[in-house]
Amino acid sequence: MIVILKENYDKEQLNSLEKWLKSMNLSMQISNGFHQTVLGLVGDTSGIDEDLIKALDIVEDVKRVQEPYKKANRKFHPKDTVVDVDGVKIGGGKFNIIAGPCSVESRQQLCLIAESVKKSGATLLRGGAFKPRTSPYSFQGMRADGIELLLEAKKLTGLPIVTEIMDLSQLPLFDDVDIIQVGARNMQNFELLKALGKTDKPILLKRGLSSTIDELLMSAEYIMSGGNSKVILCERGIRTFETATRNTLDLSCIPVLKERSHLPIIIDPSHSTGVARYVKPMALAAAAAGADGLIIEVHNDPPHALCDGVQSLTPDEFDDLVKRVRAIEPYAIKYGRES
Ligand code: PEP
Ligand code: MN
């Protein structure tokens, strides 16, 4: 962190700043220029609130030269993280496709979809048991029964399962879930992130609707700082002024996240576009741009789906998507190195 002092700064105040920094295990290197004095803070500045320093009378400006996330940062972990999910490896050059219904609706619905997406080449099964809905009157999910059905579908197909947790109180129900999803609306539920950091479960962390890339990485840092390094990032579209799609898919986050972090990145073209016919083109673009995988909503009867039918692919459409994605995989951009 670099601190630029105002001209004619008060020496006493500089001494007290130095004392305070010392108490935080930081030292400072002073460079006296002709007009300006610049301090270089030496040590771990991740716990320092730069606005606190900026607010001091003697300070003109403060610049961070190092990101406040350490564990999620590629600088300190140059090789790609590969998350092992019950034998399925996510990250480090492997391309995975997570597919399944938005919500678990019944045994028949889930098993039918699970078997068909497996046949098409999906490597993991998704399905919401707890559903974060905008309206309290919309279908809220099958909850604990939904998780039971996901476990049955796993037995049937062998596909590891991904499902969303909405609240800490639900955690005991997730003992046998392979990947716990943190939905966009919970990306900054810091107590939830801290608790998940104490588990050893892989976490699919979705980017918040109006969160920046660095905020997503800080949320990953919350989980990782608790000791759980199995974090998989997910871009699912952000809110912009555009209304033609449900959200705006920020595919440029792929090269940015790959540069800043070693964590795998999964793209969700279903929630970002919100329209089934837009899902395939964006899935192909994500694969070409070097994502580590996709998460796609698939339903056997989209018009009658209890949630997100408009953006759900039929099993046949999904089958075609997988074929096309696999065909372009060899040409996809590759980042980082395998650990
Ligand atoms: C979902 O995956 O079904 C979901 C609700 O996702 P998001 O949190 O991205 O809206
Ligand atoms: Mn959905």
Side-chain angles (χ1 to χ4, degrees):
M1 193 179 282
I2 288 169
V3 180
I4 302 155
L5 298 184
K6 285 182 184 155
E7 253 184 289
N8 308 318
Y9 60 87
D10 183 273
K11 297 271 182 331
E12 277 301 302
Q13 286 191 33
L14 179 60
N15 286 341
S16 50
L17 173 61
E18 187 169 21
K19 255 189 222 146
W20 179 71
L21 290 170
K22 234 184 216 156
S23 74
M24 308 282 285
N25 288 325
L26 293 166
S27 59
M28 60 187 208
Q29 279 175 352
I30 307 184
S31 319
N32 289 303
F34 196 65
H35 287 296
Q36 240 160 358
T37 301
V38 172
L39 311 176
L41 307 197
V42 183
D44 182 4
T45 56
S46 55
I48 300 284
D49 181 351
E50 60 197 81
D51 289 334
L52 264 179
I53 300 181
K54 220 179 249 177
L56 297 174
D57 274 349
I58 56 168
V59 172
E60 175 88 37
D61 205 2
V62 178
K63 296 214 182 312
R64 248 189 207 285
V65 285
Q66 215 166 65
E67 302 80 6
Y69 45 90
K70 291 248 178 294
K71 297 194 184 293
N73 199 324
R74 199 185 272 281
K75 263 186 210 153
F76 306 110
H77 188 300
K79 290 185 174 171
D80 281 356
T81 280
V82 179
V83 180
D84 190 318
V85 185
D86 203 17
V88 175
K89 304 226 181 331
I90 301 186
K94 323 260 181 321
F95 195 84
N96 280 281
I97 305 180
I98 307 170
C102 176
S103 310
V104 178
E105 298 173 10
S106 69
R107 175 177 290 115
Q108 195 200 9
Q109 171 246 19
L110 185 65
C111 291
L112 193 104
I113 298 172
E115 285 191 304
S116 91
V117 296
K118 160 135 197 210
K119 214 166 106 210
S120 297
T123 45
L124 297 106
L125 174 68
R126 66 149 287 148
F130 295 96
K131 293 306 305 175
R133 305 302 300 277
T134 302
S135 165
Y137 307 115
S138 302
F139 176 59
Q140 300 288 307
M142 289 184 72
R143 306 176 73 84
D145 292 342
I147 294 187
E148 284 308 313
L149 292 181
L150 282 161
L151 293 170
E152 276 187 37
K154 178 183 178 178
K155 234 186 230 160
L156 184 72
T157 58
L159 294 177
I161 54 171
V162 185
T163 194
E164 177 170 353
I165 191 168
M166 281 176 59
D167 187 80
L168 211 47
S169 61
Q170 297 155 357
L171 193 54
L173 295 170
F174 284 69
D175 277 354
D176 298 320
V177 166
D178 299 292
I179 300 184
I180 303 180
Q181 175 175 322
V182 174
R185 291 152 192 84
N186 261 322
M187 189 204 88
Q188 288 190 317
N189 182 339
F190 300 120
E191 289 302 315
L192 179 62
L193 301 180
K194 279 193 244 177
L196 295 175
K198 298 272 174 250
T199 72
D200 67 349
K201 289 273 179 202
I203 310 295
L204 182 72
L205 178 64
K206 288 191 145 195
R207 180 177 178 183
L209 275 69
S210 36
S211 296
T212 64
I213 289 173
D214 278 351
E215 283 165 346
L216 172 63
L217 289 173
M218 287 308 288
S219 290
E221 192 77 12
Y222 259 95
I223 299 168
M224 298 175 87
S225 63
N228 184 358
S229 56
K230 300 176 195 165
V231 179
I232 303 156
L233 305 171
C234 179
E235 157 65 24
R236 47 78 69 209
I238 48 174
R239 278 271 162 89
T240 67
F241 49 79
E242 184 54 72
T243 55
T245 49
R246 181 176 177 182
N247 292 288
T248 298
L249 179 57
D250 178 15
L251 279 184
S252 54
C253 80
I254 298 171
V256 176
L257 281 167
K258 285 291 178 190
E259 202 169 84
R260 296 184 187 188
S261 180
H262 49 87
L263 297 172
I265 305 153
I266 300 287
I267 298 294
D268 176 345
S270 306
H271 291 90
S272 47
T273 62
V275 181
R277 65 182 180 282
Y278 300 157
V279 169
K280 203 182 293 176
M282 299 322 290
L284 292 172
D292 295 290
L294 298 165
I295 181 165
I296 310 276
E297 287 189 342
V298 178
H299 199 281
N300 54 316
D301 183 9
H304 296 105
L306 295 182
C307 183
D308 287 349
V310 180
Q311 67 198 31
S312 297
L313 300 188
T314 62
D316 283 349
E317 287 167 340
F318 177 69
D319 192 70
D320 182 57
L321 178 147
V322 177
K323 285 198 176 90
R324 288 170 187 259
V325 164
R326 296 291 180 209
I328 62 160
E329 240 181 274
Y331 307 101
I333 302 280
K334 296 266 179 268
Y335 307 88
R337 286 145 287 176
E338 213 175 318
S339 50

